[in-house]
Amino acid sequence: MIRAVIYCRCSTEEESQKNALEKQVAEAESSVRQYGWVLVDRYVESRSGTTAKGRNEYKRLFNDLLTDKFDVIVIKSQDRLMRNTKDWYLFVDRLCTEQKKLYMYIENKFYSTDDALITGIKAILAEEYSRELSKKINNAHRNRQRDGGNVMLPGNAYGFKRMPDKSVALVEKEAEIKREMYRLCAAGYGTRTISTIMRNRGIVNRDGKPFTSSYILRMLRNPINKGTAVMGKYHFDFDSKRTIKNPKEKIYIHEDKVPRTVSDELWNAANEQIDKRSVKTKDGEDDIGKNPGKYQLSGKIVCGMCGQPYWRKVHRKHSNHELIYTWACSSYLELGRSDNLRARPNLRKVFLENEKGCDNINIAENEFYAVLEEICSNQYQKNKKKIIEKIMKLLSKSLNNQDGTKEIEKLEREQEDIERKMKFLVDKLIDGVLTDQMYKTKQEELEKKRDQNKKKILELTERTSNTQNIKDRLQEIETRLNDDDLFKKATIDDMLEEVDKIVVYPRYMEIYFSLSSVTGCMDLKIFDGDKKCFRVDYGNRLDYKGRQCDAREVVVDLIRENPRITGKMIAKEIGCSLSGANYKLKVLKKEGRIRFNGAGGKGCWEILE
Ligand SMILES: [Zn+2]
């Protein structure tokens, strides 16, 4: 019985076609049937994913190659498994050593090692070609940046326009709006307030949309507005296929490169204001748009109430300057709460007209992590032992061939043999069987062999003791794997990689998984067959305001039981401080829920329904 698996992935061109992936799966399965094989698993990549990140199923297949799960992999064509030369060779190498077969149904043939060579060479050539190309482009960029050639502005850079001679000019109407933003900022308004003011005045960007506070911040920070072009801040690295920040010495600064929108004085005044407000990280950069948090959550959290993404915010605690990270709905951050009058009216300078924000909860990052960790430890704890065993097996397998004990024993026996022969030679010399010359030649020969062996034994002993070190390392790794914290982190990262989005509501969240992972290892309670998501209720655990509200309800209940209750008694009953209890009473009074009848210490509470 031949066991087969299928691996399916859509190429970038195919992705636009409808049902391309489903079609591929059906075709691959039909090939399996045609040959009378038994289908044991499907590896279906839901996203195109040319990067390692988007290819969970590829990784799973690559790992399963090491197991005795299947004999043949069925794919559409070779390019399904190729993303770069190195990975392709690693894959083929493992395929061959594990003696498995690869079948390509489009060409109707099995893969052979000759194919690997040819496609490998082709791929190397193609990669070399584009690497050269990218080098040339990078060099051209750098020369232009160093010599202060024309400033490259994105086509829609607000406030600027490109002239026929490739120079840059101001769009006066837009420049004036930017100047106004600088003036407001220098006057002490935060970017969020500036955004609100602009909205109220009906000022929009070139796309007809309001200016967001994040855009305003970036704009204010940009030295191009005082005429200075900063060039070469980033370059594209071909090998990692990423845009990478250049070191300071590689950045070129050209003053008076474009016409000034604002004066140096105004630019500096505005930026000083921003500096005052911003929270700096270690390297002195604004901590915006970065997520140095424990887990990569960016882009995954979505507001269930308005559909906008959640953003990560950082601020300092007043009491001890500790950094606090919170996640908040972006439409709340841009527009505030839906009822502007209720949302901290004493703190807001400017109110938004005609637009509604969002009332969803802000989430303390720590709390959110704790919720995720609980989910994961429930999901993965069962598999933990299995996973550790698997890892250890893999690691030790790669180390076994380093052990030279047997080889050393063999060499030592040879050494004894040589010593015996040498003694034998001396006997023959004494007996007069050998001439001095013959003895000398033979003796030298044996000595040479003996020294060579000695050297070999030393080498092997050293290597073997290294193996001992590695064994100790393995032990250490195993201990660390058993460490719950490490496991938690690994499994949450693992889980998040498979999570499409997390939709947040005030009392619960829904975690949506990508199609591929659901067929995988997790036995989730999927409450809706099609949705591939599961729901986590957390009550008011993430909702500070909600908790406060509930605590006040408890106070009302306490008063109902005992109208003569004092602040001290309330504090004792609900386990908070006296000032906390008094504050709750104060809020309830302000809300018109309760009233104190009497004066001083004498009197009682009345509940006003
Ligand atoms: Zn929202």
Side-chain angles (χ1 to χ4, degrees), residues 63-312:
N63 290 335
D64 286 353
L65 270 175
L66 293 171
T67 65
D68 186 35
K69 185 171 162 185
F70 57 84
D71 310 295
V72 186
I73 305 169
V74 177
I75 55 173
K76 185 175 182 183
S77 50
Q78 200 170 303
D79 59 322
R80 301 299 130 156
L81 284 169
M82 279 190 70
R83 71 193 134 165
N84 62 51
T85 330
K86 191 181 135 226
D87 283 350
W88 170 243
Y89 274 120
L90 284 175
F91 191 90
V92 166
D93 181 54
R94 192 173 275 190
L95 186 81
C96 293
T97 48
E98 298 295 324
Q99 301 192 324
K100 293 188 163 69
K101 286 203 160 59
L102 186 60
Y103 178 75
M104 288 159 282
Y105 69 77
I106 280 282
E107 291 163 85
N108 189 20
K109 68 169 202 177
F110 285 95
Y111 156 87
S112 79
T113 26
D114 283 355
D115 299 333
L117 277 178
I118 293 163
T119 45
I121 290 164
K122 273 190 199 161
I124 290 171
L125 287 176
E127 243 171 57
E128 257 333 294
Y129 176 72
S130 36
R131 177 176 287 121
E132 273 307 306
L133 199 65
S134 121
K135 227 190 251 168
K136 272 180 197 149
I137 293 169
N138 268 340
N139 278 342
H141 273 314
R142 286 214 67 74
N143 291 340
R144 183 183 53 79
Q145 288 158 355
R146 187 194 56 227
D147 306 337
N150 289 324
V151 175
M152 303 262 278
L153 284 171
N156 57 348
Y158 190 77
F160 296 104
K161 65 180 171 207
R162 184 167 292 288
M163 304 306 279
D165 66 347
K166 287 192 172 177
S167 69
V168 173
L170 296 182
V171 178
E172 194 42 47
K173 212 180 130 205
E174 294 175 349
E176 186 46 39
I177 290 168
K178 279 159 76 177
R179 273 177 217 128
E180 176 67 5
M181 292 179 185
Y182 271 96
R183 283 191 287 266
L184 286 166
C185 181
Y189 288 93
T191 49
R192 209 171 115 186
T193 312
I194 299 174
S195 163
T196 309
I197 293 172
M198 292 293 152
R199 273 171 206 259
N200 286 344
R201 290 185 192 169
I203 293 166
V204 289
N205 67 17
R206 285 187 186 172
D207 297 328
K209 290 189 177 130
F211 289 99
T212 62
S213 65
S214 50
Y215 168 82
I216 295 172
L217 180 65
R218 250 181 297 129
M219 191 282 290
L220 293 170
R221 279 296 201 204
N222 197 339
I224 196 90
N225 293 313
K226 57 173 176 175
T228 303
V230 177
M231 291 172 160
K233 260 178 124 165
Y234 304 95
H235 75 275
F236 181 75
D237 181 65
F238 181 81
D239 289 310
S240 62
K241 304 202 168 39
R242 264 188 214 141
T243 305
I244 288 173
K245 221 169 178 173
N246 280 332
K248 264 201 181 109
E249 62 273 13
K250 277 200 165 181
I251 296 174
Y252 303 110
I253 294 171
H254 299 286
E255 282 177 21
D256 289 315
K257 203 60 216 168
V258 298
R260 282 161 187 275
T261 306
V262 295
S263 66
D264 279 356
E265 290 74 29
L266 183 54
W267 194 93
N268 291 339
N271 275 275
E272 270 164 31
Q273 285 295 329
I274 300 171
D275 285 339
K276 262 194 217 162
R277 292 161 174 265
S278 80
V279 177
K280 299 273 183 181
T281 51
K282 266 186 202 145
D283 55 4
E285 295 275 337
D286 290 353
D287 194 18
I288 282 165
K290 283 185 200 160
N291 182 355
K294 250 210 287 195
Y295 310 113
Q296 200 42 257
L297 292 169
S298 298
K300 297 216 159 163
I301 309 180
V302 178
C303 174
M305 289 172 76
C306 72
Q308 292 300 307
Y310 260 57
W311 285 350
R312 192 177 196 253

Side-chain angles (χ1 to χ4, degrees), residues 303-308 310 329-332 358-360:
C303 174
M305 289 172 76
C306 72
Q308 292 300 307
Y310 260 57
C329 172
S330 53
S331 68
Y332 156 66
C358 180
D359 293 331
N360 210 343

Side-chain angles (χ1 to χ4, degrees), residues 239-481:
D239 289 310
S240 62
K241 304 202 168 39
R242 264 188 214 141
T243 305
I244 288 173
K245 221 169 178 173
N246 280 332
K248 264 201 181 109
E249 62 273 13
K250 277 200 165 181
I251 296 174
Y252 303 110
I253 294 171
H254 299 286
E255 282 177 21
D256 289 315
K257 203 60 216 168
V258 298
R260 282 161 187 275
T261 306
V262 295
S263 66
D264 279 356
E265 290 74 29
L266 183 54
W267 194 93
N268 291 339
N271 275 275
E272 270 164 31
Q273 285 295 329
I274 300 171
D275 285 339
K276 262 194 217 162
R277 292 161 174 265
S278 80
V279 177
K280 299 273 183 181
T281 51
K282 266 186 202 145
D283 55 4
E285 295 275 337
D286 290 353
D287 194 18
I288 282 165
K290 283 185 200 160
N291 182 355
K294 250 210 287 195
Y295 310 113
Q296 200 42 257
L297 292 169
S298 298
K300 297 216 159 163
I301 309 180
V302 178
C303 174
M305 289 172 76
C306 72
Q308 292 300 307
Y310 260 57
W311 285 350
R312 192 177 196 253
K313 274 174 37 131
V314 55
H315 65 269
R316 281 184 195 280
K317 219 177 186 172
H318 266 298
S319 53
N320 56 4
H321 296 277
E322 191 190 332
L323 287 177
I324 311 269
Y325 294 96
T326 34
W327 288 81
C329 172
S330 53
S331 68
Y332 156 66
L333 291 176
E334 292 289 350
L335 302 170
R337 296 300 180 196
S338 65
D339 179 359
N340 279 308
L341 292 173
R342 213 182 53 204
R344 304 203 297 169
N346 48 341
L347 290 181
R348 298 207 73 179
K349 290 182 191 132
V350 181
F351 294 102
L352 199 66
E353 298 153 11
N354 310 322
E355 274 181 280
K356 293 262 179 261
C358 180
D359 293 331
N360 210 343
I361 53 167
N362 293 350
I363 306 172
E365 196 175 71
N366 290 342
E367 278 292 327
F368 198 67
Y369 285 168
V371 170
L372 288 178
E373 278 167 3
E374 272 164 37
I375 299 167
C376 270
S377 56
N378 290 340
Q379 284 305 324
Y380 283 87
Q381 212 59 35
K382 311 169 225 172
N383 300 333
K384 183 177 161 179
K385 219 181 135 208
K386 232 192 226 162
I387 294 169
I388 292 177
E389 259 170 34
K390 211 169 163 187
I391 295 170
M392 294 317 292
K393 212 170 135 194
L394 257 170
L395 284 173
S396 57
K397 196 179 161 192
S398 60
L399 295 170
N400 276 342
N401 48 11
Q402 295 233 20
D403 194 345
T405 324
K406 276 191 184 145
E407 184 84 357
I408 293 171
E409 277 168 19
K410 192 183 142 209
L411 286 170
E412 274 168 351
R413 275 201 302 279
E414 265 183 49
Q415 285 304 73
E416 282 167 26
D417 206 35
I418 290 167
E419 300 282 347
R420 231 186 354 264
K421 274 184 187 156
M422 283 167 114
K423 219 178 135 221
F424 185 67
L425 273 183
V426 179
D427 288 347
K428 291 284 172 205
L429 181 72
I430 294 166
D431 291 349
V433 180
L434 286 176
T435 64
D436 278 1
Q437 189 52 44
M438 279 165 85
Y439 169 78
K440 212 179 160 195
T441 328
K442 243 348 200 184
Q443 178 75 5
E444 271 170 9
E445 211 176 271
L446 283 171
E447 271 173 3
K448 201 176 155 198
K449 184 116 202 274
R450 189 189 60 189
D451 291 347
Q452 272 175 356
N453 271 0
K454 215 175 173 178
K455 213 172 139 196
K456 248 192 204 161
I457 289 173
L458 266 174
E459 269 176 26
L460 279 169
T461 321
E462 200 174 314
R463 214 196 300 162
T464 308
S465 71
N466 272 344
T467 313
Q468 191 53 46
N469 283 343
I470 291 165
K471 274 179 185 156
D472 292 344
R473 281 277 301 146
L474 274 180
Q475 189 63 49
E476 199 186 305
I477 291 169
E478 195 171 355
T479 322
R480 288 200 54 198
L481 282 176

